[in-house]
Amino acid sequence: MEPIFLTPYFRPKIWGGRKLKTIFNYDIPDGQIGEAWVISGYKNDASTVASGQLKGQSLRTVYHEHPELFGQPKGEEFPLLVKFLDANDNLSVQVHPDDDYAHKVEHDRGKTESWYVLQADPGSYLIYGHKAKTRAELAQMIKKGEWDNLLRKVPVKAGDFFYVPAGTIHALTKGIMVIETQQSSDVTYRLYDYDRVDDQTGQKRELHTQKSIDVTTVPHVDPELDVKTTTEQDAVIKTLVAPPVSPHFYLWQIDLNGKWAATLNSHPYLLVTIIDGAGTLTADSQTYEISKGTNLIIPNQLKDFTFTGKMKIVISAPGNDE
Ligand code: ZN
C-alpha cells in the first residue's frame, strides 16, 4: 500500500500572483494564479493522483471508487479541501454559510475554513469579523458602504493561525500567503470587492449582499482556540484546532528535525502537506522523497509511517461525523 501523492489544481484569480511558482516551484499556468487546490476532491476542481496504481485519477473518483482507502466513509464526497492562497492583492470581503443554510439554498456544503499563515509582508493585516451589534446595524453599514467602521482588521505575521467558522466576515489582503484547510465547498457570498473591474470581462464581480447579511454571525464572536503543543520523538506537534471547537476537521502543524514514527492514531486517513524543508516518508517498507509543496494522503491501510528530515508539515483529518 502506498501513500496517495497528489498534483494540485490551479485557479486564476483577479487578486492572484506568481508565488505558487517562485515559492513552491509549481508548474502554474500563465497569469495571476491565486489558488492551488492541493488536496481537493471538489467537483471538477479535484487534484489528481501523481503516481502509483491510481495515477491520473481525480481524488473525487478515487474517493468514490475506493472507499476502503478512506475507512469506508459515510459521505459520498471527499469532505475536506486544502489550498495554498497567494494574495497578490486584496481578496473580496466575504462570508460563507453553514451546512444548514448551504444545503437548503445552494445544495452544497457549508464552509468553515482556517488559515495557517506562511508569509506576510511587514505591516500586513487581514479582515476578521465585524463591529455591528445587531443584524439591522450590519445591513445598514453594508448598504451604506461604511467598510472602515464595520470591518475588524487584525495584524498578521507568518506562523499565525486563524479559525474562520461559517458566518465569519473575512478577507485576506495583499501580501499574505496561507495554507487554507476547509470544508470542501465553494459557496462564497461577497459583501464588497473594492469596486474592482475584472481585466478579462470588464465587469465587476457579483456581490451577494442579502445572503451575506442573512448568514453572518451577529455580533461577531472570536472562537476559543486552545493550541496545545506536544513532542513526539524529534517532532514538535501543535494541535491548531480539533473537535468539538472545529467539528469538521482536526488540524496540526508539525516542526520536524530528525525522525518521527507516526500512526493514524484512530483517524481514518490523513491529509499531509509539506510547507517547508525536505526529507523522506517511509511507509510499507518503501521510502519516498518529499519536500516543500508535496501533498499526499495517508490511506486507511497505512497504520504506521515515518517522516525523516528537517521539515514543516501541516496535517489534517476529517471530523468525527464525516
Ligand atoms: Zn473564505
Short mmCIF file of all heavy atoms in Angstrom, two decimals, residues 21-76:
data_model
loop_
_atom_site.label_atom_id
_atom_site.label_comp_id
_atom_site.label_asym_id
_atom_site.label_seq_id
_atom_site.Cartn_x
_atom_site.Cartn_y
_atom_site.Cartn_z
N LYS A 21 4.61 29.63 -8.06
CA LYS A 21 5.78 29.22 -8.85
C LYS A 21 7.07 29.55 -8.10
O LYS A 21 7.92 28.69 -7.89
CB LYS A 21 5.74 29.92 -10.21
CG LYS A 21 7.00 29.84 -11.03
CD LYS A 21 7.07 28.53 -11.78
CE LYS A 21 8.35 28.43 -12.58
NZ LYS A 21 8.84 27.05 -12.61
N THR A 22 7.21 30.81 -7.67
CA THR A 22 8.50 31.23 -7.12
C THR A 22 8.77 30.62 -5.74
O THR A 22 9.91 30.34 -5.41
CB THR A 22 8.59 32.78 -7.03
OG1 THR A 22 7.47 33.26 -6.27
CG2 THR A 22 8.56 33.41 -8.41
N ILE A 23 7.75 30.40 -4.95
CA ILE A 23 7.96 29.86 -3.60
C ILE A 23 7.84 28.33 -3.59
O ILE A 23 8.62 27.64 -2.94
CB ILE A 23 6.93 30.43 -2.60
CG1 ILE A 23 6.88 31.95 -2.69
CG2 ILE A 23 7.20 29.93 -1.18
CD1 ILE A 23 7.84 32.71 -1.87
N PHE A 24 6.84 27.80 -4.32
CA PHE A 24 6.59 26.35 -4.24
C PHE A 24 7.06 25.58 -5.47
O PHE A 24 6.98 24.36 -5.51
CB PHE A 24 5.11 26.08 -3.96
CG PHE A 24 4.76 26.34 -2.53
CD1 PHE A 24 4.24 27.55 -2.15
CD2 PHE A 24 5.02 25.38 -1.57
CE1 PHE A 24 3.96 27.81 -0.82
CE2 PHE A 24 4.75 25.63 -0.23
CZ PHE A 24 4.22 26.85 0.14
N ASN A 25 7.55 26.35 -6.47
CA ASN A 25 8.07 25.72 -7.69
C ASN A 25 7.02 24.88 -8.42
O ASN A 25 7.35 23.91 -9.10
CB ASN A 25 9.31 24.88 -7.35
CG ASN A 25 10.17 24.68 -8.60
OD1 ASN A 25 10.15 25.51 -9.50
ND2 ASN A 25 10.88 23.57 -8.66
N TYR A 26 5.75 25.25 -8.26
CA TYR A 26 4.70 24.56 -9.01
C TYR A 26 4.71 25.06 -10.46
O TYR A 26 5.00 26.21 -10.73
CB TYR A 26 3.32 24.84 -8.41
CG TYR A 26 3.04 24.13 -7.11
CD1 TYR A 26 2.44 24.81 -6.06
CD2 TYR A 26 3.33 22.79 -6.94
CE1 TYR A 26 2.14 24.17 -4.86
CE2 TYR A 26 3.04 22.13 -5.76
CZ TYR A 26 2.44 22.83 -4.72
OH TYR A 26 2.15 22.18 -3.55
N ASP A 27 4.36 24.16 -11.35
CA ASP A 27 4.31 24.46 -12.77
C ASP A 27 2.95 25.09 -13.08
O ASP A 27 2.05 24.45 -13.62
CB ASP A 27 4.49 23.12 -13.53
CG ASP A 27 4.62 23.35 -15.01
OD1 ASP A 27 4.89 24.48 -15.42
OD2 ASP A 27 4.43 22.36 -15.75
N ILE A 28 2.81 26.38 -12.72
CA ILE A 28 1.49 27.01 -12.81
C ILE A 28 1.25 27.59 -14.20
O ILE A 28 2.21 27.90 -14.91
CB ILE A 28 1.30 28.10 -11.73
CG1 ILE A 28 2.29 29.27 -11.90
CG2 ILE A 28 1.40 27.50 -10.34
CD1 ILE A 28 2.05 30.40 -10.90
N PRO A 29 -0.01 27.73 -14.60
CA PRO A 29 -0.30 28.38 -15.88
C PRO A 29 0.12 29.86 -15.85
O PRO A 29 0.36 30.41 -14.78
CB PRO A 29 -1.83 28.27 -15.99
CG PRO A 29 -2.29 27.41 -14.88
CD PRO A 29 -1.21 27.35 -13.86
N ASP A 30 0.17 30.49 -17.03
CA ASP A 30 0.46 31.93 -17.11
C ASP A 30 -0.65 32.70 -16.39
O ASP A 30 -1.76 32.21 -16.24
CB ASP A 30 0.49 32.39 -18.57
CG ASP A 30 1.72 31.83 -19.29
OD1 ASP A 30 2.67 31.42 -18.60
OD2 ASP A 30 1.70 31.79 -20.54
N GLY A 31 -0.31 33.94 -16.01
CA GLY A 31 -1.33 34.83 -15.47
C GLY A 31 -1.29 34.93 -13.96
O GLY A 31 -0.32 34.54 -13.32
N GLN A 32 -2.37 35.48 -13.41
CA GLN A 32 -2.44 35.71 -11.97
C GLN A 32 -3.09 34.49 -11.33
O GLN A 32 -4.29 34.30 -11.41
CB GLN A 32 -3.31 36.94 -11.70
CG GLN A 32 -2.69 38.23 -12.21
CD GLN A 32 -3.72 39.34 -12.21
OE1 GLN A 32 -4.65 39.36 -13.00
NE2 GLN A 32 -3.57 40.28 -11.30
N ILE A 33 -2.25 33.66 -10.73
CA ILE A 33 -2.75 32.41 -10.16
C ILE A 33 -2.88 32.59 -8.65
O ILE A 33 -1.88 32.74 -7.94
CB ILE A 33 -1.81 31.23 -10.51
CG1 ILE A 33 -1.60 31.15 -12.03
CG2 ILE A 33 -2.38 29.92 -9.95
CD1 ILE A 33 -2.90 30.99 -12.84
N GLY A 34 -4.10 32.57 -8.18
CA GLY A 34 -4.36 32.85 -6.77
C GLY A 34 -4.36 31.61 -5.90
O GLY A 34 -3.99 31.67 -4.73
N GLU A 35 -4.80 30.48 -6.47
CA GLU A 35 -5.05 29.32 -5.62
C GLU A 35 -4.48 28.04 -6.22
O GLU A 35 -4.63 27.79 -7.41
CB GLU A 35 -6.56 29.12 -5.42
CG GLU A 35 -7.24 30.33 -4.79
CD GLU A 35 -8.70 30.09 -4.44
OE1 GLU A 35 -9.28 29.06 -4.86
OE2 GLU A 35 -9.26 30.95 -3.74
N ALA A 36 -3.86 27.24 -5.38
CA ALA A 36 -3.52 25.86 -5.72
C ALA A 36 -4.38 24.99 -4.82
O ALA A 36 -4.27 25.06 -3.59
CB ALA A 36 -2.04 25.59 -5.46
N TRP A 37 -5.26 24.21 -5.43
CA TRP A 37 -6.11 23.28 -4.67
C TRP A 37 -5.31 21.98 -4.56
O TRP A 37 -5.34 21.13 -5.43
CB TRP A 37 -7.44 23.06 -5.38
CG TRP A 37 -8.31 24.29 -5.39
CD1 TRP A 37 -7.91 25.59 -5.41
CD2 TRP A 37 -9.75 24.32 -5.36
NE1 TRP A 37 -8.99 26.43 -5.40
CE2 TRP A 37 -10.13 25.68 -5.37
CE3 TRP A 37 -10.73 23.34 -5.33
CZ2 TRP A 37 -11.46 26.08 -5.35
CZ3 TRP A 37 -12.06 23.73 -5.31
CH2 TRP A 37 -12.42 25.09 -5.31
N VAL A 38 -4.55 21.89 -3.47
CA VAL A 38 -3.52 20.85 -3.40
C VAL A 38 -4.07 19.49 -2.95
O VAL A 38 -3.55 18.46 -3.34
CB VAL A 38 -2.31 21.29 -2.55
CG1 VAL A 38 -1.61 22.48 -3.19
CG2 VAL A 38 -2.70 21.63 -1.12
N ILE A 39 -5.11 19.51 -2.12
CA ILE A 39 -5.79 18.25 -1.78
C ILE A 39 -7.28 18.53 -1.92
O ILE A 39 -7.91 19.11 -1.05
CB ILE A 39 -5.44 17.76 -0.36
CG1 ILE A 39 -3.91 17.63 -0.20
CG2 ILE A 39 -6.13 16.41 -0.08
CD1 ILE A 39 -3.46 17.14 1.17
N SER A 40 -7.80 18.18 -3.09
CA SER A 40 -9.18 18.53 -3.42
C SER A 40 -9.89 17.37 -4.09
O SER A 40 -9.37 16.77 -5.03
CB SER A 40 -9.18 19.73 -4.38
OG SER A 40 -10.47 19.89 -4.97
N GLY A 41 -11.11 17.09 -3.63
CA GLY A 41 -11.98 16.15 -4.32
C GLY A 41 -13.22 16.87 -4.81
O GLY A 41 -14.25 16.25 -5.04
N TYR A 42 -13.11 18.21 -4.95
CA TYR A 42 -14.29 19.03 -5.23
C TYR A 42 -14.66 19.02 -6.72
O TYR A 42 -13.90 19.50 -7.56
CB TYR A 42 -14.05 20.47 -4.76
CG TYR A 42 -15.32 21.30 -4.82
CD1 TYR A 42 -16.28 21.17 -3.82
CD2 TYR A 42 -15.56 22.17 -5.87
CE1 TYR A 42 -17.46 21.90 -3.87
CE2 TYR A 42 -16.74 22.90 -5.93
CZ TYR A 42 -17.69 22.76 -4.92
OH TYR A 42 -18.85 23.48 -4.98
N LYS A 43 -15.82 18.50 -7.03
CA LYS A 43 -16.41 18.54 -8.37
C LYS A 43 -15.35 18.44 -9.47
O LYS A 43 -14.57 17.51 -9.50
CB LYS A 43 -17.27 19.79 -8.51
CG LYS A 43 -18.43 19.74 -7.50
CD LYS A 43 -19.42 20.86 -7.68
CE LYS A 43 -20.53 20.72 -6.65
NZ LYS A 43 -21.41 21.87 -6.59
N ASN A 44 -15.34 19.44 -10.39
CA ASN A 44 -14.37 19.37 -11.50
C ASN A 44 -13.03 19.99 -11.14
O ASN A 44 -12.16 20.12 -11.99
CB ASN A 44 -14.94 20.08 -12.73
CG ASN A 44 -16.16 19.36 -13.25
OD1 ASN A 44 -16.23 18.13 -13.20
ND2 ASN A 44 -17.14 20.11 -13.72
N ASP A 45 -12.87 20.40 -9.89
CA ASP A 45 -11.66 21.09 -9.47
C ASP A 45 -10.83 20.22 -8.53
O ASP A 45 -10.19 20.70 -7.61
CB ASP A 45 -12.02 22.41 -8.76
CG ASP A 45 -12.88 23.31 -9.63
OD1 ASP A 45 -12.92 23.07 -10.86
OD2 ASP A 45 -13.49 24.24 -9.10
N ALA A 46 -10.84 18.93 -8.79
CA ALA A 46 -10.14 17.99 -7.91
C ALA A 46 -8.66 17.90 -8.27
O ALA A 46 -8.28 18.10 -9.43
CB ALA A 46 -10.78 16.61 -8.01
N SER A 47 -7.83 17.59 -7.29
CA SER A 47 -6.44 17.26 -7.58
C SER A 47 -6.38 15.83 -8.12
O SER A 47 -7.32 15.06 -7.95
CB SER A 47 -5.55 17.45 -6.36
OG SER A 47 -6.22 17.25 -5.16
N THR A 48 -5.27 15.52 -8.80
CA THR A 48 -5.15 14.19 -9.42
C THR A 48 -4.00 13.42 -8.78
O THR A 48 -3.02 14.01 -8.31
CB THR A 48 -4.88 14.30 -10.93
OG1 THR A 48 -3.88 15.30 -11.15
CG2 THR A 48 -6.12 14.68 -11.70
N VAL A 49 -4.14 12.11 -8.80
CA VAL A 49 -3.11 11.26 -8.21
C VAL A 49 -1.86 11.31 -9.11
O VAL A 49 -1.95 11.19 -10.33
CB VAL A 49 -3.61 9.81 -8.06
CG1 VAL A 49 -2.52 8.92 -7.46
CG2 VAL A 49 -4.86 9.78 -7.19
N ALA A 50 -0.70 11.55 -8.47
CA ALA A 50 0.53 11.82 -9.22
C ALA A 50 1.31 10.57 -9.59
O ALA A 50 2.12 10.61 -10.52
CB ALA A 50 1.42 12.75 -8.39
N SER A 51 1.10 9.46 -8.87
CA SER A 51 1.95 8.28 -9.11
C SER A 51 1.24 7.03 -8.62
O SER A 51 0.18 7.11 -8.00
CB SER A 51 3.28 8.46 -8.36
OG SER A 51 3.03 8.63 -6.98
N GLY A 52 1.83 5.88 -8.92
CA GLY A 52 1.30 4.62 -8.42
C GLY A 52 0.14 4.10 -9.27
O GLY A 52 -0.13 4.59 -10.36
N GLN A 53 -0.55 3.11 -8.72
CA GLN A 53 -1.60 2.42 -9.48
C GLN A 53 -2.78 3.31 -9.85
O GLN A 53 -3.48 3.05 -10.82
CB GLN A 53 -2.12 1.24 -8.65
CG GLN A 53 -1.12 0.10 -8.57
CD GLN A 53 -1.73 -1.13 -7.93
OE1 GLN A 53 -2.83 -1.08 -7.40
NE2 GLN A 53 -1.00 -2.23 -8.00
N LEU A 54 -3.01 4.35 -9.05
CA LEU A 54 -4.18 5.22 -9.29
C LEU A 54 -3.79 6.47 -10.08
O LEU A 54 -4.59 7.38 -10.24
CB LEU A 54 -4.81 5.62 -7.95
CG LEU A 54 -5.30 4.46 -7.08
CD1 LEU A 54 -5.63 4.96 -5.67
CD2 LEU A 54 -6.51 3.80 -7.71
N LYS A 55 -2.57 6.51 -10.60
CA LYS A 55 -2.04 7.70 -11.27
C LYS A 55 -3.02 8.24 -12.32
O LYS A 55 -3.57 7.48 -13.12
CB LYS A 55 -0.72 7.35 -11.95
CG LYS A 55 -0.04 8.56 -12.57
CD LYS A 55 1.33 8.23 -13.14
CE LYS A 55 1.86 9.45 -13.86
NZ LYS A 55 3.23 9.28 -14.32
N GLY A 56 -3.21 9.57 -12.31
CA GLY A 56 -4.05 10.22 -13.30
C GLY A 56 -5.52 10.33 -12.91
O GLY A 56 -6.26 11.09 -13.52
N GLN A 57 -5.94 9.57 -11.89
CA GLN A 57 -7.35 9.66 -11.48
C GLN A 57 -7.55 10.86 -10.55
O GLN A 57 -6.66 11.24 -9.81
CB GLN A 57 -7.75 8.39 -10.73
CG GLN A 57 -7.67 7.16 -11.61
CD GLN A 57 -8.41 5.98 -10.97
OE1 GLN A 57 -9.39 6.16 -10.27
NE2 GLN A 57 -7.91 4.80 -11.22
N SER A 58 -8.75 11.42 -10.60
CA SER A 58 -9.02 12.54 -9.70
C SER A 58 -9.30 12.00 -8.30
O SER A 58 -9.80 10.87 -8.14
CB SER A 58 -10.19 13.37 -10.20
OG SER A 58 -11.41 12.77 -9.80
N LEU A 59 -8.99 12.81 -7.31
CA LEU A 59 -9.24 12.38 -5.93
C LEU A 59 -10.73 12.13 -5.73
O LEU A 59 -11.13 11.27 -4.96
CB LEU A 59 -8.72 13.44 -4.95
CG LEU A 59 -8.96 13.15 -3.47
CD1 LEU A 59 -8.38 11.81 -3.04
CD2 LEU A 59 -8.38 14.28 -2.60
N ARG A 60 -11.55 12.86 -6.46
CA ARG A 60 -13.00 12.66 -6.35
C ARG A 60 -13.37 11.23 -6.76
O ARG A 60 -14.13 10.54 -6.07
CB ARG A 60 -13.71 13.67 -7.25
CG ARG A 60 -15.19 13.58 -7.12
CD ARG A 60 -15.88 14.65 -7.92
NE ARG A 60 -17.23 14.77 -7.43
CZ ARG A 60 -18.28 14.99 -8.19
NH1 ARG A 60 -18.13 15.14 -9.49
NH2 ARG A 60 -19.47 15.09 -7.67
N THR A 61 -12.83 10.80 -7.89
CA THR A 61 -13.10 9.45 -8.39
C THR A 61 -12.55 8.39 -7.43
O THR A 61 -13.22 7.39 -7.12
CB THR A 61 -12.43 9.27 -9.77
OG1 THR A 61 -12.92 10.31 -10.62
CG2 THR A 61 -12.73 7.92 -10.38
N VAL A 62 -11.33 8.62 -6.96
CA VAL A 62 -10.71 7.64 -6.06
C VAL A 62 -11.54 7.50 -4.79
O VAL A 62 -11.76 6.39 -4.28
CB VAL A 62 -9.26 8.07 -5.73
CG1 VAL A 62 -8.64 7.16 -4.67
CG2 VAL A 62 -8.40 8.06 -6.99
N TYR A 63 -12.06 8.62 -4.29
CA TYR A 63 -12.88 8.58 -3.06
C TYR A 63 -14.17 7.81 -3.31
O TYR A 63 -14.63 7.06 -2.44
CB TYR A 63 -13.18 10.02 -2.62
CG TYR A 63 -13.72 10.13 -1.21
CD1 TYR A 63 -12.89 10.03 -0.10
CD2 TYR A 63 -15.07 10.38 -0.98
CE1 TYR A 63 -13.38 10.15 1.19
CE2 TYR A 63 -15.57 10.51 0.31
CZ TYR A 63 -14.72 10.40 1.39
OH TYR A 63 -15.21 10.52 2.67
N HIS A 64 -14.76 7.97 -4.50
CA HIS A 64 -15.98 7.23 -4.84
C HIS A 64 -15.71 5.73 -5.00
O HIS A 64 -16.47 4.90 -4.54
CB HIS A 64 -16.58 7.73 -6.17
CG HIS A 64 -17.28 9.03 -6.04
ND1 HIS A 64 -17.67 9.77 -7.13
CD2 HIS A 64 -17.64 9.75 -4.97
CE1 HIS A 64 -18.27 10.88 -6.72
NE2 HIS A 64 -18.26 10.89 -5.42
N GLU A 65 -14.62 5.42 -5.70
CA GLU A 65 -14.41 4.04 -6.14
C GLU A 65 -13.61 3.19 -5.16
O GLU A 65 -13.62 1.97 -5.27
CB GLU A 65 -13.74 4.03 -7.53
CG GLU A 65 -14.69 4.62 -8.56
CD GLU A 65 -14.15 4.60 -9.98
OE1 GLU A 65 -13.00 4.14 -10.17
OE2 GLU A 65 -14.89 5.05 -10.87
N HIS A 66 -12.90 3.84 -4.26
CA HIS A 66 -12.07 3.10 -3.29
C HIS A 66 -12.34 3.56 -1.87
O HIS A 66 -11.43 4.06 -1.19
CB HIS A 66 -10.59 3.26 -3.64
CG HIS A 66 -10.22 2.71 -4.98
ND1 HIS A 66 -9.99 1.37 -5.19
CD2 HIS A 66 -10.10 3.32 -6.18
CE1 HIS A 66 -9.72 1.18 -6.47
NE2 HIS A 66 -9.79 2.33 -7.10
N PRO A 67 -13.58 3.39 -1.39
CA PRO A 67 -13.89 3.87 -0.03
C PRO A 67 -13.03 3.19 1.04
O PRO A 67 -12.82 3.75 2.12
CB PRO A 67 -15.37 3.53 0.14
CG PRO A 67 -15.69 2.52 -0.92
CD PRO A 67 -14.74 2.77 -2.05
N GLU A 68 -12.49 2.00 0.71
CA GLU A 68 -11.66 1.30 1.70
C GLU A 68 -10.40 2.11 2.04
O GLU A 68 -9.89 2.02 3.16
CB GLU A 68 -11.30 -0.11 1.19
CG GLU A 68 -10.28 -0.18 0.07
CD GLU A 68 -10.82 0.15 -1.33
OE1 GLU A 68 -12.02 0.48 -1.45
OE2 GLU A 68 -10.03 0.11 -2.30
N LEU A 69 -9.92 2.93 1.10
CA LEU A 69 -8.72 3.73 1.37
C LEU A 69 -8.99 4.81 2.41
O LEU A 69 -8.07 5.35 3.02
CB LEU A 69 -8.21 4.40 0.08
CG LEU A 69 -7.78 3.47 -1.05
CD1 LEU A 69 -7.44 4.26 -2.30
CD2 LEU A 69 -6.57 2.64 -0.60
N PHE A 70 -10.27 5.13 2.59
CA PHE A 70 -10.66 6.23 3.47
C PHE A 70 -11.45 5.72 4.68
O PHE A 70 -12.17 6.47 5.33
CB PHE A 70 -11.47 7.26 2.66
CG PHE A 70 -10.72 7.74 1.44
CD1 PHE A 70 -10.87 7.10 0.22
CD2 PHE A 70 -9.83 8.79 1.55
CE1 PHE A 70 -10.14 7.52 -0.89
CE2 PHE A 70 -9.10 9.22 0.44
CZ PHE A 70 -9.26 8.57 -0.78
N GLY A 71 -11.34 4.41 4.94
CA GLY A 71 -12.01 3.83 6.11
C GLY A 71 -13.51 3.74 5.95
O GLY A 71 -14.24 3.92 6.93
N GLN A 72 -13.99 3.48 4.73
CA GLN A 72 -15.44 3.34 4.46
C GLN A 72 -16.23 4.53 5.01
O GLN A 72 -17.06 4.38 5.92
CB GLN A 72 -15.97 2.02 5.07
CG GLN A 72 -15.23 0.77 4.62
CD GLN A 72 -15.40 0.46 3.11
OE1 GLN A 72 -16.22 1.05 2.42
NE2 GLN A 72 -14.60 -0.46 2.61
N PRO A 73 -16.00 5.71 4.46
CA PRO A 73 -16.68 6.91 5.00
C PRO A 73 -18.18 6.87 4.74
O PRO A 73 -18.65 6.21 3.81
CB PRO A 73 -16.04 8.06 4.21
CG PRO A 73 -15.53 7.42 2.96
CD PRO A 73 -15.13 6.02 3.32
N LYS A 74 -18.92 7.64 5.56
CA LYS A 74 -20.38 7.73 5.41
C LYS A 74 -20.75 8.53 4.16
O LYS A 74 -21.63 8.15 3.41
CB LYS A 74 -20.98 8.46 6.62
CG LYS A 74 -21.19 7.57 7.83
CD LYS A 74 -21.85 8.39 8.95
CE LYS A 74 -20.94 8.44 10.17
NZ LYS A 74 -21.27 9.49 11.12
N GLY A 75 -20.10 9.67 3.96
CA GLY A 75 -20.48 10.59 2.88
C GLY A 75 -19.92 10.14 1.53
O GLY A 75 -18.99 9.34 1.47
N GLU A 76 -20.49 10.68 0.45
CA GLU A 76 -20.06 10.32 -0.90
C GLU A 76 -18.94 11.23 -1.41
O GLU A 76 -18.25 10.88 -2.36
CB GLU A 76 -21.24 10.47 -1.86
CG GLU A 76 -22.39 9.56 -1.50
CD GLU A 76 -22.96 8.87 -2.72
OE1 GLU A 76 -22.99 9.51 -3.78
OE2 GLU A 76 -23.35 7.70 -2.58
#
